[in-house]
Amino acid sequence: AGFGCASFNPGESNSFLVDFNDNNPDPSLRRKTYTKVDLTKADLGFEKAERKYYAVDLFLEHPYKNGWYGKINYTWSRNTGNTEGQTASDFNTAQGDISTTQTWDNPEVMRYANGLLPNNRTHQIKAFGFYDLTPEWTVGANLLLASGRPRSCVSRAADPALGINPAYTVHYCFGATAQTNVVSPRGSVGNLEWDRQLDLNLTYKPQQVKGLALKVDVFNVFNAQTVQKVSEEYMNRAGSVSSTYQRVISYSSPRFVKLTAEYNYKF
């Protein structure tokens, strides 16, 4: 009684103030009298927050000269740990509210949660540039090639032997029952398909009206429908293999066009 939830540093010892008299049956004793309770890291049983990013970045660039500019960029990277930060885009939650994710709500949520994080893109190739067809017309392009996001598998089924409550999301999967599920660390179920997107643009700057620019941008020219997220819940709370496991939740944005009129005047 007198204590619901708290914000604290996971993976460390913490102290809490608890009002043990909050629900006292004697109304005269229902007053705020706090008792300090010290709990060690072992008492709490939570893993420490961890997020690491490593990258090697290489590029070739042609400065703007003779009417054109171009750059090709390659990045090899690793994004590992047990938390993306203040939001969570994996599992089935896609929690975007800052600092209100289910991470560390319970120790079970973080079991085997350390691995490749959802935003890991091992390989990324970006190429962009533009070319002046005439003093008035310019064409440009942007190309993105990125390896797919890591896939994970989680379960919400109860397993008393592991002390798992069905309300928790845990990294145990691929069994016919909750008791036969096996450990499935984060990011260990392969990757989604590569992202492939080409954007084109055209700009017209009429010589008769200095400062005016009319632009057309076409995003995702080939309308690539790349899978961005799938359902990672292998077993539901009832202890049955979910019929929606690996169902596509979202794709990349479809092709769309943006028209822009811009005027710059110098006083």
Side-chain angles (χ1 to χ4, degrees), residues 186-254:
R186 190 181 214 144
S188 63
V189 196
N191 294 81
L192 297 176
E193 59 183 309
W194 277 60
D195 268 339
R196 302 174 298 277
Q197 181 167 321
L198 175 66
D199 305 327
L200 298 177
N201 57 78
L202 176 66
T203 303
Y204 173 58
K205 297 179 179 180
Q207 295 295 307
Q208 298 87 346
V209 185
K210 297 297 183 180
L212 177 64
L214 304 176
K215 304 177 181 180
V216 178
D217 291 275
V218 183
F219 299 93
N220 195 3
V221 173
F222 296 108
N223 200 31
Q225 299 294 291
T226 306
V227 174
Q228 298 294 326
K229 181 175 175 60
V230 297
S231 172
E232 298 182 338
E233 184 179 274
Y234 175 78
M235 187 166 283
N236 56 35
R237 296 188 183 190
S240 302
V241 176
S242 175
S243 61
T244 61
Y245 176 61
Q246 294 299 306
R247 175 179 62 85
V248 176
I249 294 177
S250 65
Y251 294 90
S252 54
S253 299

Side-chain angles (χ1 to χ4, degrees), residues 89-131:
S89 65
D90 58 352
F91 306 148
N92 290 353
T93 54
Q95 294 168 316
D97 296 331
I98 302 299
S99 296
T100 57
T101 70
Q102 70 178 20
T103 312
W104 284 286
D105 277 358
N106 297 283
E108 292 80 4
V109 174
M110 304 310 297
R111 287 183 181 174
Y112 304 102
N114 202 312
L116 290 176
L117 292 171
N119 291 325
N120 180 75
R121 300 281 190 171
T122 304
H123 305 285
Q124 291 188 75
I125 300 172
K126 299 177 181 178
F128 50 94
F130 59 87
Y131 178 74

Side-chain angles (χ1 to χ4, degrees), residues 33-98:
T33 54
Y34 293 103
T35 301
K36 183 181 178 183
V37 178
D38 298 316
L39 296 177
T40 66
K41 172 184 175 180
D43 292 331
L44 293 167
F46 286 90
E47 299 288 338
K48 191 176 182 66
E50 181 178 316
R51 183 175 68 252
K52 297 178 180 179
Y53 177 77
Y54 307 92
V56 176
D57 192 63
L58 305 172
F59 70 90
L60 291 174
E61 183 177 24
H62 182 280
Y64 180 62
K65 184 179 180 181
N66 299 326
W68 73 281
Y69 169 85
K71 184 176 182 179
I72 299 176
N73 194 98
Y74 169 75
T75 302
W76 176 94
S77 63
R78 273 286 187 272
N79 189 13
T80 63
N82 55 17
T83 176
E84 292 179 71
Q86 297 186 62
T87 59
S89 65
D90 58 352
F91 306 148
N92 290 353
T93 54
Q95 294 168 316
D97 296 331
I98 302 299

